Amino acid sequence: MAGQWLPPPPRGARPAGLRQRRGLHVGPAGHRTPPAPGPGGRVMPEPSFTRAKWSIAALFCFLGFQYGTWVARLPALKTRLDLGAGEVGLLLMACGAGAATSFPLVTVLMRRLGSRRLSLASAACLVAVLAALSVVPDYPLALLAVAADGVAVGCLNVAMNAQGAALERAHGRTAMSQLHATFSGGLLAAALLASGVTTLTTSVTGHFALAGALLLLLLGAARPGLLTHRETSPATEDGPKRHARRLPSGTTLLMGCAMAFGTITEGAMNDWSTLYMKDVVKASATVAPLGIAVVSVMMLLARLRADRWRSRWGDGPVVRAGSAVAAAGLALALLTGGVVPTLLGFACVGLGAAAITPCVYVAAAGHGSGALALVAAMGTTGLLGGPALIGFVAGAANLTAGMATVAVSALIVTLTALRIPWRTHTSGDPDRLPGEAPAPAG
């Protein structure tokens, strides 16, 4: 009967309507709710796993591309607005601060709009911010635009990770690490586009207009395949009890700690690896930039494979082993010295840190949108404060001690991950979670 929802079949069953069953929304505790009715009361099936995965991947690519686009033109913005180095630093800090302080707003919007609508709205805001940055006439307006960019980034970051976690729960298959890999791909594409455009014209307006058009195409490609149901949380499912506990749980704080120190480990390498190679290892000007290249390439390759590792060994072992590899590899590189050992140590950081944030996002999403928003905000705080912390340590001691802080951060992730209740996975289908029927052929 049209509009009638039928309960899901027993686990392991493979009915002909499996794809429609997988359209059900799965809440953080595994609770299934019927899909929302479409026009005329007819139940609209969710997109297939592959279609939804590509749509959500487009959101991740969108965020990386948007951020990489305006950051790549910071020198041009600096010249046009006649900014000093301190003012440029404050501009970057305004973006991070906007993202970090967006937590209360994101929590409210996730509950009222759901991850799909919030993803689309915040992505549209990011296109508008890019257009505004291309024409801002003075520094105060640039600060305002970048702060707004940070808030929109915070909203999209939570919403798209909620979509990724919901995709894994609904289909019983891993995908989050590959989704995060497309964010790195977006950053790379933005850098290549900026390089190509600047060889033809110095116009920031023209560059950002082209980038904005590409972003709208990405958004248009993402929209049809996004999951349509609102994110629910344990708090909202408990009815009158939802106000009983307002403070974050200990588990949420542990996940936030793992996220914060994981982003310190990941982000600090981007800011300090080249300087360490040049000033401490005494690498040549040609070799020094290879530090960040090694970290980035290893992280991208590892994220493309990490979902299979998660399916085989589980999220917890992957995070613990990865963070331990990052800590040990970097520590050995700092103790040994030399160009080759240092590059190998940096490669260990890229390999080991690749799956930390995807796994923590999945774990946080299982505790509701509020937990996810808080963990994302703590991750942004780590990304923002980590480079400054390393600079402070380097100023007080030396850059080697500053880089040792990164190894300590990775070790803290290892210790924290021992206390986090992770989801378990089984071997077999490398993209399938335990207790779920295999994906139908085709």
Side-chain angles (χ1 to χ4, degrees):
M1 179 184 298
Q4 180 180 6
W5 175 73
L6 298 176
R11 289 183 179 272
R14 297 187 61 183
L18 182 59
R19 289 187 182 273
Q20 283 71 22
R21 180 178 71 85
R22 287 184 171 177
L24 303 179
H25 171 64
V26 183
H31 175 69
R32 298 177 183 266
T33 58
R42 178 171 173 265
V43 173
M44 303 300 292
E46 287 287 342
S48 67
F49 173 81
T50 301
R51 179 68 182 91
K53 179 180 175 181
W54 280 108
S55 292
I56 299 168
L59 290 179
F60 278 81
C61 183
F62 179 103
L63 185 57
F65 188 85
Q66 193 271 352
Y67 178 75
T69 294
W70 75 264
V71 169
R73 297 310 299 270
L74 269 178
L77 293 173
K78 178 177 180 291
T79 301
R80 193 184 77 199
L81 300 176
D82 193 23
L83 306 180
E87 291 171 312
V88 172
L90 185 59
L91 200 66
L92 291 172
M93 186 172 292
C95 179
T101 57
S102 64
F103 159 64
L105 176 64
V106 175
T107 303
V108 173
L109 292 178
M110 277 287 290
R111 289 174 180 167
R112 292 187 177 180
L113 301 179
S115 59
R116 181 180 188 274
R117 292 170 62 188
L118 182 57
S119 295
L120 297 174
S122 54
C125 289
L126 286 172
V127 176
V129 167
L130 198 63
L133 281 174
S134 68
V135 296
V136 285
D138 53 44
Y139 184 59
L141 288 177
L143 277 176
L144 182 62
V146 171
D149 182 90
V151 173
V153 165
C155 291
L156 180 55
N157 184 40
V158 172
M160 70 186 189
N161 277 286
Q163 283 271 313
L167 176 69
E168 290 196 347
R169 289 193 301 270
H171 291 269
R173 301 172 67 184
T174 53
M176 189 68 87
S177 295
Q178 293 180 15
L179 295 176
H180 279 255
T182 61
F183 174 84
S184 302
L187 285 172
L188 177 61
L192 293 176
L193 178 66
S195 177
V197 168
T198 51
T199 60
L200 301 176
T201 176
T202 59
S203 171
V204 174
T205 302
H207 177 195
F208 284 7
L210 176 59
L214 294 175
L215 287 171
L216 289 175
L217 288 176
L218 267 177
L219 190 57
R223 184 177 179 274
L226 296 178
L227 304 179
T228 57
H229 305 294
R230 294 189 180 187
E231 298 298 315
T232 59
S233 67
T236 59
E237 291 173 357
D238 288 339
K241 298 180 181 179
R242 63 182 178 273
H243 299 299
R245 185 173 69 180
R246 296 178 179 273
L247 295 177
S249 66
T251 299
T252 299
L253 293 177
L254 281 173
M255 292 186 293
C257 181
M259 180 67 80
F261 285 100
T263 53
I264 288 176
T265 304
E266 179 180 337
M269 301 304 296
N270 296 331
D271 293 278
W272 290 99
S273 59
T274 301
L275 191 61
Y276 179 82
M277 290 284 293
K278 180 177 179 296
D279 292 350
V280 179
V281 183
K282 305 301 181 183
S284 66
T286 303
V287 175
L290 291 180
I292 187 173
V294 166
V295 175
S296 301
V297 170
M298 284 301 298
M299 183 166 292
L300 178 60
L301 293 177
R303 280 180 170 168
L304 291 174
R305 298 291 301 176
D307 286 321
R308 291 183 175 270
W309 303 338
R310 294 173 58 209
S311 295
R312 182 175 296 275
W313 294 299
D315 290 2
V318 167
V319 171
R320 292 191 292 267
S323 55
V325 166
L330 183 56
L332 288 175
L334 297 178
L335 292 173
T336 304
V339 172
V340 174
T342 299
L343 290 177
L344 289 175
F346 287 0
C348 288
V349 175
L351 173 65
I356 293 176
T357 53
C359 290
V360 177
Y361 273 124
V362 170
H367 290 261
S369 58
L372 178 59
L374 177 59
V375 168
M378 292 181 71
T380 303
T381 302
L383 200 63
L384 175 67
L389 174 63
I390 292 170
F392 176 78
V393 174
N398 52 55
L399 189 51
T400 301
M403 292 297 286
T405 305
V406 181
V408 173
S409 297
L411 180 60
I412 292 175
V413 174
T414 305
L415 298 176
T416 305
L418 293 172
R419 302 293 303 275
I420 295 175
W422 303 95
R423 295 169 65 197
T424 57
H425 304 265
T426 57
S427 59
D429 182 348
D431 292 322
R432 181 163 55 89
L433 304 186
E436 296 288 337

